[in-house]
Amino acid sequence: MKKGAKIAVGVLAALTVLGGAGFYLSQTLIKWKLMEYEILPCFADGTGITEPYPYADIEGPESFK
């Protein structure tokens, strides 16, 4: 009976560790990857970004040289 109890405790401990690791990864890595796939396509081709700053259209005062 003691051997069976030790095996059961070992299995429960392993399941707890694996469950905790799975929960941690689901809250960090997996969500980060999902956000990366949702956000990056709009930045990769330039759409979804505000207009570029019009550097050529800057008007300065006449006395500034």
Side-chain angles (χ1 to χ4, degrees):
M1 189 64 156
K2 278 189 169 184
K3 189 174 186 179
K6 287 181 182 179
I7 292 173
V9 168
V11 168
L12 287 175
L15 287 176
T16 302
V17 168
L18 290 175
F23 179 74
Y24 174 76
L25 289 175
S26 72
Q27 299 300 313
T28 55
L29 263 177
I30 296 170
K31 283 187 179 179
W32 177 258
K33 284 296 182 184
L34 289 175
M35 286 181 3
E36 183 180 3
Y37 288 125
E38 290 176 6
I39 293 172
L40 279 183
C42 71
F43 290 112
D45 61 354
T47 59
I49 300 175
T50 58
E51 295 177 5
Y53 190 77
Y55 291 103
D57 299 337
I58 296 175
E59 295 180 16
E62 292 295 323
S63 61
F64 184 75
K65 301 246 181 202

